[in-house]
Amino acid sequence: MFSFFRKKEAFANEAKEDLAQDYNDVRAVAVYFKDETGVTFDKQESILKNKVTTFCKHRKIGSFIKLLEKIKYNSELKQELIDALTTNETFFYREFKQIEELVKLVKIAHKKVDILCAPSATGEEPYGIAIALLEAGVAQSSFCITAIDINSDAINRAKEAIYKERNVRNLSAQIIERYFTKKENLYVLKDSVKSLVAFRTLNLFDPSFAAIGKFDFIFSRNMLIYFDKETKLKAKNILESLRKDPNQEIFFGHADLF
Ligand SMILES: C[S@@+](CC[C@H](N)C(=O)[O-])C[C@H]1O[C@@H](n2cnc3c(N)ncnc32)[C@H](O)[C@@H]1O
């Protein structure tokens, strides 16, 4: 009985604390987020502050410090924060020249190749690679595509594979006709392509990431742009350790400069 009242009192105090809102200094969240994901908000503190304030208010969390305390014991909340703070902009056939280069390499490999897309965001890049390979006459039994992203919403949307006009803007009418079903103003990817990509929610910096396997070709485009110099190098080393052939260049985005 005594402990019941103690618990009730503790909850009441916590609720009171949450009412005393303090959304001023977001730096501790920035440090935490960079440590966990690599993503830095160094030059975008006000954007971060707005996003995290909205995140906290929506969940009735009274301060950034309280948020960090809760996240320690609440992995769902942590994932929600990651989903809210990562940017998943992508589209089919982005930087298509690299995909063309990959197709050439796969065609001369004369063996089944393993391809990694890290990060994939909502799936347009790995599905685009699958489509380009099929278009070039590569048999689906000749390649295996694994795609990962830290953002679980993005991965769920990738698995659904339903896209808007702007996501397919670089695809020709023939490709759209062959690989999508149009439903009102949406483009639904056919199961024959969906089945060619295995998606997972994964953090590149998670120690378990290395167990993902080894790959003939690795795409890692437009993620390093969110990292500082030191973290870019760390990410590059992790990705390089996943290559089957240490001489094979990784496909980074043109803006991912080191
Ligand atoms: C702009 S998207 C790039 C998608 C695609 N590669 C492209 O170039 O269009 C960047 C993605 O990096 C993901 N990301 C950021 N940090 C990550 C990490 N530590 N591990 C895995 N993915 C991460 C984000 O969730 C986001 O979906």
Side-chain angles (χ1 to χ4, degrees), residues 26-212:
V26 81
R27 278 173 302 181
V29 180
V31 170
Y32 168 83
F33 201 69
K34 187 180 158 213
D35 284 351
E36 288 292 322
T37 68
V39 175
T40 177
F41 282 89
D42 275 359
K43 291 178 190 129
Q44 296 178 305
E45 211 175 286
S46 65
I47 294 178
L48 178 68
K49 193 168 162 177
N50 286 341
K51 284 189 174 179
V52 186
T53 302
T54 308
F55 183 89
C56 287
K57 284 187 175 166
H58 194 68
R59 289 162 183 81
K60 301 198 173 12
I61 298 170
S63 71
F64 297 146
I65 296 301
K66 198 89 204 154
L67 170 67
L68 293 177
E69 275 169 25
K70 281 182 193 278
I71 267 179
K72 271 191 225 155
Y73 308 102
N74 187 337
S75 54
E76 253 174 59
L77 186 66
K78 178 177 166 185
Q79 186 63 57
E80 284 174 25
L81 185 71
I82 289 172
D83 292 354
L85 296 184
T86 42
T87 307
N88 315 119
E89 170 60 20
T90 184
F91 48 90
F92 279 90
Y93 281 13
R94 186 180 195 175
E95 297 186 56
F96 186 61
K97 272 197 166 4
Q98 291 184 326
I99 297 183
E100 282 181 319
E101 205 181 316
L102 171 81
V103 170
K104 276 189 205 148
L105 293 170
V106 173
K107 284 184 97 170
I108 57 171
H110 298 300
K111 60 163 188 164
K112 182 170 184 172
V113 299
D114 292 304
I115 301 165
L116 174 68
C117 242
S120 66
T122 40
E124 290 89 324
E125 182 173 280
Y127 287 140
I129 289 173
I131 290 173
L133 288 168
L134 295 176
E135 284 293 294
V138 178
Q140 63 179 64
S141 56
S142 303
F143 62 92
C144 184
I145 307 177
T146 302
I148 69 102
D149 200 284
I150 198 172
N151 185 307
S152 65
D153 271 349
I155 288 294
N156 288 337
R157 280 190 282 143
K159 287 178 182 166
E160 277 176 12
I162 301 173
Y163 297 102
K164 293 189 178 140
E165 179 91 46
R166 66 186 177 85
N167 304 112
V168 299
R169 63 185 181 265
N170 279 357
L171 300 180
S172 67
Q174 291 90 321
I175 287 188
I176 290 180
E177 172 79 30
R178 265 200 287 281
Y179 300 102
F180 295 82
T181 309
K182 185 128 193 253
K183 284 205 177 137
E184 289 165 17
N185 53 351
L186 295 173
Y187 298 80
V188 182
L189 190 66
K190 290 189 178 164
D191 286 345
S192 53
V193 184
K194 280 170 78 175
S195 65
L196 299 177
V197 183
F199 287 97
R200 286 170 69 183
T201 302
L202 263 183
N203 179 354
L204 179 85
F205 298 109
D206 193 296
S208 68
F209 184 72
I212 191 167

Side-chain angles (χ1 to χ4, degrees), residues 214-230:
K214 299 273 181 195
F215 298 87
D216 298 285
F217 303 107
I218 299 176
F219 272 64
S220 181
R221 306 193 299 176
N222 303 302
M223 170 175 68
L224 270 50
I225 48 173
Y226 301 101
F227 300 164
D228 65 13
K229 213 171 167 186
E230 196 189 334

